[in-house]
Amino acid sequence: MPENADRLESHEVIWGKSGDLTLHYQEDVLTRSPAAFVTGEDQRRVQVASRILEQRLKPATTEELLEAAEAVRPSPADYMLAILRLGLGAPVDFDQRFFDQVRNAMRDTETGVRYAAVWATSYVEWPQYEPLLVRASEHDPSEKVRGDAAVVLAAYRSLHEEGDGS
């Protein structure tokens, strides 16, 4: 893992900024996977720029991410990475297929797979993950998984408090 993995800091570069659009490139610290995304005020312009970015970079599709996780399931080390990549590649809006994969990984017999599933929930904020995190933080057989689930759960709750103006 990279040196900054203990601080969970991803390496990010701003590739370009034009008007109200910003193109970001990021290397995820947990998966060592690259990610590129566009931000901006005008959602229509962001969507157009995102489509252009997808055409140029040819990132893994949602279907490919889901299929990859299923394909490597028999290999715990590969499955752990695939679950983390599912988290990284999950859409902002809730997707039952991604959720089901992460939920199943949280029930896996391998501690490392459950650990990866906990961290996979940290990439997108889906309220549906909270009950899974509560359960993992209270009942997972591994102290490490319980502890990290509590950390991710606290981050979720902190985001909710900020959103409520508390």
Side-chain angles (χ1 to χ4, degrees):
M1 278 201 146
E3 289 178 23
N4 57 354
D6 290 339
R7 291 180 282 140
L8 296 177
E9 294 176 2
S10 297
H11 174 70
E12 182 175 0
V13 175
I14 304 297
W15 270 353
K17 187 169 180 121
S18 170
D20 69 341
L21 293 177
T22 304
L23 175 59
H24 305 260
Y25 170 82
Q26 196 172 59
E27 291 176 4
D28 179 63
V29 69
L30 293 175
T31 64
R32 295 185 180 177
S33 296
F37 57 97
V38 179
T39 58
E41 295 294 321
D42 183 340
Q43 287 305 305
R44 186 187 59 76
R45 291 186 69 204
V46 168
Q47 290 172 350
V48 169
S50 294
R51 282 195 297 274
I52 292 168
L53 185 65
E54 286 176 21
Q55 291 170 351
R56 302 269 179 172
L57 298 180
K58 308 267 189 262
T61 66
T62 55
E63 296 306 320
E64 290 169 337
L65 290 170
L66 291 162
E67 289 169 9
E70 276 303 314
V72 299
R73 198 173 200 160
S75 169
D78 292 337
Y79 188 43
M80 288 169 53
L81 184 57
I83 290 298
L84 286 167
R85 286 184 175 152
L86 272 178
L88 177 63
V92 173
D93 295 322
F94 180 75
D95 186 306
Q96 187 69 47
R97 300 166 305 164
F98 280 77
F99 176 81
D100 290 345
Q101 286 272 11
V102 172
R103 181 186 60 211
N104 292 341
M106 279 198 181
R107 297 173 177 164
D108 200 272
T109 57
E110 292 286 334
T111 301
V113 172
R114 295 191 315 275
Y115 182 76
V118 164
W119 284 105
T121 68
S122 70
Y123 291 100
V124 292
E125 183 196 353
W126 289 346
Q128 294 87 343
Y129 279 148
E130 286 192 51
L132 299 179
L133 290 165
V134 168
R135 182 178 196 88
S137 70
E138 294 174 355
H139 302 292
D140 194 273
S142 164
E143 183 177 341
K144 178 80 171 142
V145 173
R146 285 193 311 272
D148 282 20
V151 167
V152 175
L153 182 61
Y156 263 72
R157 290 178 174 164
S158 174
L159 287 171
H160 288 189
E161 288 173 8
E162 290 173 16
D164 294 340
S166 303

